[in-house]
């Protein structure tokens, strides 16, 4: 199975290890991985800030870059960016620079084959247990865009359930945004501070020593806040967890494990 | 104060809200309580998502044929002997209402909860009338009135920012001698109000839905005060926004059901009232019935990308799930209509000059869109406002604007992005401080942190540390090329 990585600008700029772990997991599970060269950013930072005109070229570049390599699937380390790429066909409806509808046509193809990393493992590869082991007490931060825009509420929880040694604690107020929101965190930092402060408090209340999420942006926000407060917290992207201390003989398909309970509401 | 509830600048309002620990705790508690009640009440229906589609289609249909339904409603009110007045502006509405009170020789006005009268700033106008007393009879509005006309901070629970101790203090001024048990305090308020209800000669109420085909209005309350306000006084003035219509009782029944579940987590509110001009043979209801239909810029949204906001049934659910509202409360927004619905509606009603900041005061988490009973895509409408302000009105200036445009350029050109990747590490190095990394692991390659950065970065570092971007040789793409060469891609 040929997989292209949709790197996201944030991973490129800041968090290379997320990508490395992701590639290693995917290859272990039998994928042939490639990274389309000219991709940059999904366009969300400018689009969501109201710079819609400036965002068309960003989206066009992304469509060109991701269609340049032939692949079965596109996999992304961020729920939020995945959601936006999947929304491309709606976002491009008003695009004045696409007279032939060529970008729209390719956007539809890309949108259909793009998945967030945990989603891809569970829903496409059908793998339930990646063979990972991590001895820690952890809690999970659910990103708003992955949950509400992408509509993925389950797969990270199910995959984490099968990590050996991992004890998951439920997070109070899991439905509330951590205050990241892209440029919101900078422009409205006073409000964002109140939000991330209450998120940090709730995380501390769980007694967890590790915080896991599928969105690097949220992790950079919450982790940066922990660091500002000088408080210890191990921050991990789910790819790091699933690539930790792997015993390949333990890799299991969904059919080989008990059916998981639906992830906690909401 | 009308639509605007504060004269302070936005950032000062947020700072004030951040300090108000009481309000903060009250709001958080109310949100959490409502959460369970609302979700349970909706789940009882079994197919909530289908109900939402139904609610949306009813409301969209009405908005699409709004002029026709308004005409039908107005004709039917008049057929029953009542009067309808279409007010373009708040001034027109106020003049009309004050005139009616004069004509009716009203001296004692009782009001039940109405956000639109607050939009009119009607209370202040009434206070200025000599020989006219005025009483808010919704318990929460009553509390605000007795607290020197404090501003409401929620569209369903106007006094949500007050806890029972604060209410206790307010009631003591009125002669209440009991404890701070909400039930005891409510009993006191009830007795206090009852005497004044009996002498009332004009009742002013809001309107949840106006029924077009019968010329009557529908009110949903839990206290029964609206029923007194519309049945005891001889004259009743209903004040409604021009979009609050349903075609017939059939749709009203559906909307009442959805409204009660969404607003207060109940199957129905305790009182569901339908009333209009008293007709011959009827034993109660107002002898003189007036309906004021207010535009106040609502019609500006018709036919635009913002039309969907007119579907709103003011259930307040979007406020109750909003993480920003949770933090800054209604007063932080500085608009009578706070929260997500307010951030979309206020700039339409009051203009971008005054409310242009509100659409940006959202992390776009979409909790509002997810809960809205009539499927208004609230977070997308916020983005639309941002687009109008930045692209079309050019309201953004200064360094942030410049930087956003640079981001746009940088993220659309592979060449520039690759250059940025190469030099990002150095770009920020003057601001780099060695600081122990306590949030470990994730910042593995970012072994130093920036604690005070330039430009937009400054907004980030005011709140949290920023990892220093890794050196180019550590980048993912560099690693991947190497990895591939080594046959990592062999499978
Ligand atoms: S926008 Fe939707 S959720 Fe918000 S008050 Fe209106 S109907 Fe309720």
């Amino acid at each position: 199975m040929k997989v292209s990585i949709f790197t996201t600008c944030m991973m490129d700029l800041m968090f290379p290890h997320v990508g490395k772990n992701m590639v290693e997991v995917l290859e272990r599970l039998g994928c042939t991985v490639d990274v389309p060269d000219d991709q940059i950013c999904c366009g969300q930072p400018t689009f969501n800030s109201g710079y819609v005109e400036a965002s068309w070229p960003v989206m066009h570049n992304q469509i060109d870059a991701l269609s340049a390599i032939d692949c079965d699937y596109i996999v992304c380390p961020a729920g939020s960016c995945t959601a936006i790429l999947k929304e491309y066909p709606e976002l491009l409806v008003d695009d004045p620079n696409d007279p032939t509808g060529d970008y729209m046509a390719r956007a539809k193809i890309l949108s259909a084959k793009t998945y967030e990393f945990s989603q891809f493992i569970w829903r496409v590869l059908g793998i339930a247990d990646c063979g990972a082991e991590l001895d820690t007490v952890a809690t999970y931060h659910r990103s708003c865009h992955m949950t509400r825009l992408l509509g993925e509420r389950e797969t990270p929880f199910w995959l984490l359930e099968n990590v050996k040694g991992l004890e998951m604690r439920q997070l109070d107020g899991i439905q509330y945004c951590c205050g990241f929101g892209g440029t919101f965190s900078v422009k409205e930092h006073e409000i964002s501070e109140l939000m991330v402060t209450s998120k940090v408090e709730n995380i501390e209340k769980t007694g967890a020593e590790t915080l896991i999420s599928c969105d690097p942006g949220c992790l950079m926000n919450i982790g940066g806040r922990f660091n500002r407060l000088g408080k210890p917290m191990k921050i991990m992207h789910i790819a790091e967890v699933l690539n930790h201390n792997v015993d390949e003989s333990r890799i299991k398909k969904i059919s080989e494990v008990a059916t998981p309970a639906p992830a906690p509401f909401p | 104060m009308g639509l605007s509830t504060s004269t302070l600048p936005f950032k000062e309002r947020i700072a004030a809200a951040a300090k108000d620990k009481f309000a903060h705790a009250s709001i958080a508690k109310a949100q959490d309580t409502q959460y369970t009640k609302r979700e349970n009440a909706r789940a009882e229906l079994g197919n909530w998502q289908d109900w939402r589609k139904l609610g949306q289609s009813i409301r969209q249909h009405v908005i699409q044929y709004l002029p026709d339904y308004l005409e039908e409603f107005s004709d039917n009110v008049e057929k029953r002997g009542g009067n309808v007045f279409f007010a373009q502006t708040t001034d027109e509405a106020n003049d009309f209402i004050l005139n009616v009170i004069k004509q009716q020789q009203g001296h004692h006005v009782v009001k039940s909860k109405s956000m639109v009268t607050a939009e009119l700033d009607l209370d202040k106008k009434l206070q200025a009338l000599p020989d006219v007393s005025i009483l808010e009879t919704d318990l929460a509005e009553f509390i605000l009135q007795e607290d020197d006309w404090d501003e409401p901070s929620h569209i369903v629970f106007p006094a949500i920012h007050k806890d029972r101790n604060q209410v206790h203090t307010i009631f003591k001024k009125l002669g209440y001698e009991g404890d701070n048990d909400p039930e005891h305090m409510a009993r006191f308020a009830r007795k206090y109000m009852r005497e004044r209800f009996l002498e009332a000669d004009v009742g002013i109420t809001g309107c949840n839905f106006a029924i077009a085909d019968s010329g009557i209005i529908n009110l949903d309350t839990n206290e029964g005060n609206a029923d007194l306000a519309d049945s005891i006084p001889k004259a009743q003035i209903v004040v409604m926004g021009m979009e609050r219509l349903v075609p017939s009782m059939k749709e009203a029944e559906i909307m009442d059901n959805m409204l009660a579940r969404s607003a207060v987590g109940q199957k129905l509110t305790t009182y569901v009232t339908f009333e209009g001009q008293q007709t011959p043979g009827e034993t109660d209801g107002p002898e003189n019935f007036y309906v004021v239909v207010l535009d106040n810029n609502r019609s500006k949204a018709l036919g635009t990308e913002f039309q969907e906001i007119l579907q709103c049934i003011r259930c307040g659910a979007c406020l109750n799930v909003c993480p920003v509202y949770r933090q800054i409360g209604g007063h932080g927004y500085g608009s009578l209509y706070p929260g997500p619905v307010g951030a979309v509606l206020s700039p339409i009603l009051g203009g971008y000059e005054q409310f242009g900041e509100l659409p940006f005061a959202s992390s776009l988490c979409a909790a509002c869109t997810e809960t809205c009973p009539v499927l208004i895509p609230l977070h997308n409408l916020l983005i639309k406002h941002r687009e109008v302000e930045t692209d079309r009105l050019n309201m953004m200036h200064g360094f942030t604007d410049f930087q956003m445009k640079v981001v746009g350029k940088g993220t659309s050109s592979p060449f520039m992005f690759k250059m940025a990747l190469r030099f990002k590490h150095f770009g920020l190095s003057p601001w780099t401080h060695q600081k122990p990394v306590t949030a470990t692991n994730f910042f593995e390659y970012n072994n130093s942190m920036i604690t005070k950065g330039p430009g937009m970065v400054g907004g980030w570092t005011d709140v949290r540390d920023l990892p220093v971007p890794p050196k180019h040789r550590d980048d993912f793409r560099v690693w991947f090329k190497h990895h591939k060469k080594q046959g990592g891609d062999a499978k």
Side-chain angles (χ1 to χ4, degrees):
Chain A
M1 189 179 290
K2 278 198 257 174
V3 171
S4 280
I5 303 283
F6 163 17
T7 57
T8 75
C9 55
M10 186 171 286
M11 185 177 98
D12 273 326
L13 285 165
M14 288 287 189
F15 307 116
H17 55 298
V18 172
K20 292 178 201 175
N21 284 291
M22 194 163 82
V23 169
E24 284 169 9
V25 171
L26 292 175
E27 286 180 349
R28 184 176 303 123
L29 299 177
C31 302
T32 305
V33 179
D34 212 336
V35 178
D37 202 35
D38 282 345
Q39 60 174 315
I40 304 175
C41 168
C42 60
Q44 187 173 191
T46 41
F47 188 89
N48 282 357
S49 306
Y51 292 81
V52 173
E53 280 163 26
S55 307
W56 306 125
V58 184
M59 295 188 211
H60 285 186
N61 174 72
Q62 200 69 354
I63 293 170
D64 285 335
L66 292 177
S67 346
I69 293 187
D70 174 47
C71 67
D72 304 308
Y73 293 98
I74 296 171
V75 179
C76 174
S80 177
C81 311
T82 310
I84 295 300
L85 200 96
K86 280 194 156 316
E87 275 182 21
Y88 267 17
E90 286 134 63
L91 303 184
L92 289 167
V93 165
D94 299 327
D95 180 2
N97 314 310
D98 184 21
T100 60
D102 166 53
Y103 279 109
M104 176 61 97
R106 284 187 292 156
K108 284 185 180 154
I109 297 171
L110 292 178
S111 164
K113 62 181 181 183
T114 299
Y115 287 83
E116 180 278 329
F117 174 69
S118 72
Q119 229 185 3
F120 177 73
I121 294 176
W122 187 279
R123 300 199 186 275
V124 179
L125 296 179
I127 300 288
D129 189 339
C130 295
E133 177 178 356
L134 180 69
D135 244 321
T136 190
V137 180
T139 192
Y140 180 81
H141 167 69
R142 204 170 211 178
S143 95
C144 304
H145 285 183
M146 176 142 161
T147 313
R148 303 203 179 98
L149 303 189
L150 189 57
E152 183 53 82
R153 309 174 118 74
E154 322 270 44
T155 57
F157 291 96
W158 291 342
L159 288 171
L160 292 173
E161 209 166 271
N162 289 308
V163 173
K164 207 173 145 191
L166 181 63
E167 183 193 333
M168 292 300 291
R169 296 262 169 94
Q170 201 153 335
L171 178 62
D172 260 5
I174 189 172
Q175 72 270 32
Y176 291 112
C177 171
C178 70
F180 176 58
T183 50
F184 170 79
S185 59
V186 180
K187 193 171 157 54
E188 305 294 340
H189 56 90
E190 296 89 348
I191 304 174
S192 175
E193 175 169 354
L194 297 168
M195 291 160 79
V196 71
T197 303
S198 105
K199 185 59 74 183
V200 163
E201 281 166 11
N202 279 327
I203 293 168
E204 286 184 310
K205 262 198 282 172
T206 64
E209 53 192 17
T210 303
L211 174 71
I212 303 169
S213 179
C214 289
D215 270 81
C218 309
L219 289 177
M220 182 163 93
N221 178 40
I222 304 170
R225 181 65 183 171
F226 268 106
N227 210 72
R228 170 60 52 91
L229 299 171
K231 292 183 170 174
M233 181 57 63
K234 197 165 180 188
I235 311 283
M236 293 181 94
H237 185 269
I238 193 162
E240 300 174 79
V241 179
L242 299 181
N243 197 32
H244 198 271
N245 242 347
V246 175
D247 172 358
E248 296 205 19
S249 70
R250 274 189 35 239
I251 295 176
K252 281 195 193 70
K253 294 218 164 89
I254 296 175
S255 53
E256 297 169 298
V257 299
T259 330
F265 195 75
Chain B
M1 280 180 108
L3 187 58
S4 154
T5 59
S6 171
T7 48
L8 293 176
F10 185 49
K11 297 269 174 182
E12 281 177 38
R13 294 200 301 268
I14 295 170
K19 272 196 227 126
D20 193 345
K21 301 284 175 226
F22 274 121
H24 191 259
S26 302
I27 292 167
K29 189 161 163 241
Q31 278 194 328
D32 294 341
T33 317
Q34 278 306 318
Y35 190 89
T36 327
K37 283 178 76 180
R38 180 185 60 246
E39 295 309 322
N40 290 344
R42 287 171 168 182
E44 275 173 6
L45 287 172
N47 44 358
W48 175 243
Q49 295 309 327
D50 293 337
W51 278 82
R52 291 176 84 195
K53 283 184 207 142
L54 182 61
Q56 176 196 37
S57 68
I58 292 172
R59 294 291 298 144
Q60 271 184 352
H61 171 81
V62 169
I63 302 302
Q64 197 174 349
Y65 298 100
L66 193 55
D68 305 284
Y69 281 117
L70 281 170
E71 197 183 334
E72 188 187 353
F73 173 68
S74 154
D75 287 351
N76 285 324
V77 171
E78 272 156 24
K79 252 186 235 159
R80 293 177 63 101
N83 309 277
V84 177
F85 178 71
F86 288 95
Q88 185 92 44
T89 63
T90 54
D91 283 345
E92 285 176 20
N94 282 326
D95 288 348
F96 178 82
I97 295 167
L98 296 187
N99 244 326
V100 169
I101 294 173
K102 215 198 245 156
Q103 267 175 27
Q104 296 289 324
Q105 296 172 346
H107 293 292
H108 302 287
V109 176
V110 284
K111 282 184 68 205
S112 76
K113 185 172 168 299
S114 150
M115 292 306 288
V116 182
T117 59
E119 194 179 325
L120 297 177
D121 205 7
L122 180 61
D123 287 336
K124 200 171 282 152
K125 305 278 173 340
L126 295 176
Q127 279 170 269
L129 293 180
D131 322 322
V132 172
S133 77
I134 154 174
L135 179 72
E136 289 285 353
T137 63
D138 172 83
L139 185 54
E141 296 281 8
F142 174 68
I143 292 167
L144 296 180
Q145 171 176 9
E146 296 307 333
D147 192 21
D148 198 16
W149 299 98
D150 189 12
E151 295 288 347
S153 67
H154 191 291
I155 60 177
V156 175
F157 314 109
I160 195 176
H161 56 290
K162 294 205 188 306
D163 67 4
R164 63 162 85 172
N165 294 325
Q166 287 166 298
V167 175
H168 191 214
T169 314
I170 296 165
F171 276 20
K172 276 199 285 199
K173 282 191 282 184
L174 297 175
Y176 174 66
E177 287 167 353
D179 59 12
N180 69 355
D181 183 325
E183 218 170 287
H184 298 159
M185 292 194 286
R187 197 171 301 142
F188 167 78
R190 184 189 165 97
K191 193 158 166 283
Y192 182 94
M193 282 184 218
R194 189 57 60 105
E195 288 154 17
R196 298 176 66 182
F197 262 128
L198 292 173
E199 59 183 24
D201 37 34
V202 177
I204 300 180
T205 71
C207 163
N208 288 103
F209 300 104
I211 323 280
D213 73 351
S214 49
I216 60 175
I217 65 137
N218 173 200
L219 282 166
D220 300 308
T221 71
N222 270 333
E223 295 167 16
N225 60 315
D227 300 74
L228 292 175
D230 69 40
S231 54
I232 295 175
K234 281 197 320 290
Q236 186 198 356
I237 307 170
V238 176
V239 186
M240 61 181 273
M242 66 184 284
E243 78 287 5
R244 302 301 292 273
L245 288 146
V246 285
S248 70
M249 294 286 273
K250 204 170 82 194
E251 290 81 14
E253 188 196 339
I254 295 167
M255 297 318 299
D256 280 344
N257 198 319
M258 298 183 72
L259 176 62
R261 287 172 202 269
S262 300
V264 282
Q266 295 168 213
K267 284 190 176 79
L268 276 179
T269 50
T270 315
Y271 300 87
V272 179
T273 311
F274 295 90
E275 50 106 20
Q277 167 83 30
Q278 196 182 113
T279 50
E282 286 181 347
T283 52
D284 57 10
E287 289 159 33
N288 303 296
F289 182 75
Y290 302 87
V291 183
V292 179
V293 182
L294 179 70
D295 180 342
N296 196 25
N297 290 334
R298 284 167 174 77
S299 57
K300 266 197 193 162
L302 286 172
T304 72
E305 65 246 80
F306 298 110
Q307 180 165 314
E308 280 164 297
I309 198 62
L310 298 178
Q311 284 159 228
C312 174
I313 58 172
R314 303 288 191 276
C315 73
C318 57
L319 280 65
N320 296 341
V321 299
C322 177
V324 172
Y325 181 86
R326 188 182 185 86
Q327 301 299 337
I328 69 172
H331 294 167
Y333 286 85
S335 166
L336 190 60
Y337 300 109
V341 59
V344 176
L345 192 61
S346 307
I348 297 169
L349 301 185
Y352 288 107
E353 273 312 318
Q354 189 163 14
F355 296 111
E357 277 151 321
L358 298 189
F360 291 91
S362 162
S363 63
L364 303 177
C365 79
C368 46
T369 303
E370 185 182 53
T371 201
C372 179
V374 289
L375 291 172
I376 302 174
L378 290 152
H379 76 284
N380 284 332
L381 296 182
L382 291 174
I383 299 177
K384 293 237 152 81
H385 271 311
R386 295 178 184 188
E387 181 188 353
V388 172
E389 291 184 62
T390 48
D391 276 0
R392 284 186 242 161
L393 300 177
N394 276 319
M395 286 173 73
M396 300 297 132
H397 305 289
F399 196 41
T400 309
D401 182 51
F402 169 74
Q403 284 175 313
M404 282 315 294
K405 285 178 178 149
V406 170
V407 170
K409 290 238 153 49
T411 50
S412 59
S413 150
F415 173 74
M416 277 170 62
F417 188 66
K418 279 171 198 165
M419 293 303 279
L421 279 182
R422 219 166 254 286
F423 294 111
K424 64 185 187 315
H425 184 75
F426 303 104
L428 282 167
S429 54
W431 284 274
T432 302
H433 296 278
Q434 289 298 334
K435 182 181 176 191
V437 178
T438 57
T440 50
N441 203 79
F442 197 62
F443 304 128
E444 186 184 348
Y445 287 87
N446 321 92
N447 43 24
S448 34
M449 302 296 262
I450 298 164
T451 53
K452 197 167 173 40
M456 278 190 356
V457 175
W460 181 273
T461 53
D462 276 349
V463 178
R464 24 173 143 53
D465 293 343
L466 178 73
V468 174
K471 298 211 169 76
H472 179 58
R473 61 161 195 266
D474 289 329
D475 276 353
F476 169 68
R477 307 233 192 159
V478 177
W479 172 85
F480 186 76
K481 281 207 175 89
H482 186 68
H483 171 75
K484 225 177 160 185
K485 254 190 225 137
Q486 289 190 325
D489 201 8
K491 278 175 204 158

